Amino acid sequence: MPSVDLLPLTDSTRRLVRSVDALDEPLLAAPSLLPGWTRAHVVAHLALNAEAMARGAEGARTQEPVALYESPEARASDIDELSAATCTELRERFLASTAALAEVLGSLLESTLPVEVEWYPGGMRRVLAQFPEIRRAEVEVHHVDLDTGAYDATSWPGDFRAWLIDSRARSLSPETGEASDVVPFTVYAGDLDRSWSVAGGTDADPVVTGSSADLAWWLSGRGDASGLASDHPLPRIAGW
């Protein structure tokens, strides 16, 4: 059995499933918080992402490696196509995908967890042990992107807010190349009484303060930074 904790992902997925189940055809056709995407696009992406991760994990388990996606273009095309499905078809595909991923992740042996899987051929690679937290991030962030009015960044569990801030702070480090146009700064979450260095920020650099929910949402490249305070102009964070 895997040595990674699957319970946080399971809980996050259950909350998302309840929200998706409440979406009818008109609600799915309405805009999401992501530019150019309806709620149906978000659900389609989540379904296809679960299917892709299940394929990747199964390929690693059977020693027949396969990239999660054929290409960025194919991924986008598949999302567009599935988003046009009927409400029933889309929800069934989504539910089946979450069940398939849970089954594969639950059957992984500890010896397979260090295996690396490609997102695209020749592209980014992640070890299987990271799959549950990566998928949880997809689930939690896109749950808010659905913009149902019943789930927002303040709904995120505290441990996930901290994880997301930490993850984004690390991804914006100079070593990753993502921080080339981001001025170094630090963030301080008052509700967690915790600080993070972003893009190589030090104590001498600007400090952005706010709640962990507001900081996590902003660092994911979303929102207008409302609820945050800084004595310097806030840098623009690219979305993901």
Side-chain angles (χ1 to χ4, degrees):
M1 297 298 291
S3 59
V4 293
D5 185 6
L6 298 178
L7 184 57
L9 171 58
T10 299
D11 289 343
S12 294
T13 300
R14 284 173 179 161
R15 290 190 291 271
L16 175 63
V17 166
R18 286 196 292 269
S19 292
V20 172
D21 278 347
L23 299 176
D24 57 17
E25 205 88 48
L27 290 174
L28 281 169
S32 73
L33 292 181
L34 295 176
W37 271 18
T38 64
R39 293 191 180 109
H41 281 89
V42 176
V43 177
H45 163 59
L46 286 163
L48 292 166
N49 174 258
E51 291 176 355
M53 295 188 83
R55 276 196 310 273
E58 180 63 16
R61 187 184 70 82
T62 59
Q63 299 184 18
E64 297 177 356
V66 58
L68 266 62
Y69 302 103
E70 179 184 332
S71 68
E73 295 76 19
R75 170 183 172 274
S77 176
D78 288 344
I79 291 172
D80 281 340
E81 180 179 352
L82 183 56
S83 70
T86 67
C87 176
T88 298
E89 291 170 339
L90 183 55
R91 285 202 306 221
E92 288 180 350
R93 181 81 171 266
F94 167 72
L95 290 171
S97 71
T98 61
L101 179 58
E103 182 178 358
V104 175
L105 293 180
S107 66
L108 291 176
L109 298 176
E110 187 170 354
S111 60
T112 66
L113 296 182
V115 176
E116 292 187 337
V117 180
E118 292 180 323
W119 250 239
Y120 300 103
M124 177 183 77
R125 305 171 70 92
R126 291 290 184 270
V127 296
L128 279 178
Q130 294 177 294
F131 270 33
E133 64 183 22
I134 292 172
R135 174 61 183 179
R136 189 189 186 200
E138 293 281 346
V139 167
E140 287 289 354
V141 174
H142 290 313
H143 193 168
V144 181
D145 286 332
L146 284 174
D147 194 24
T148 64
Y151 202 87
D152 58 24
T154 64
S155 306
W156 287 337
D159 71 299
F160 176 73
R161 296 179 213 165
W163 179 91
L164 184 55
I165 296 172
D166 186 64
S167 176
R168 291 299 289 161
R170 284 185 284 108
S171 70
L172 292 170
S173 69
E175 292 78 12
T176 66
E178 291 188 39
S180 58
D181 61 347
V182 175
V183 176
F185 62 97
T186 62
V187 298
Y188 173 73
D191 54 320
L192 301 181
D193 190 22
R194 182 176 171 186
S195 297
W196 288 263
S197 168
V198 182
T202 67
D203 291 342
D205 290 309
V207 178
V208 181
T209 61
S211 69
S212 57
D214 288 337
L215 286 168
W217 187 239
W218 172 62
L219 287 172
S220 73
R222 290 158 168 81
D224 58 3
S226 60
L228 302 182
S230 176
D231 55 1
H232 288 71
L234 293 176
R236 181 181 180 279
I237 306 297
W240 61 278

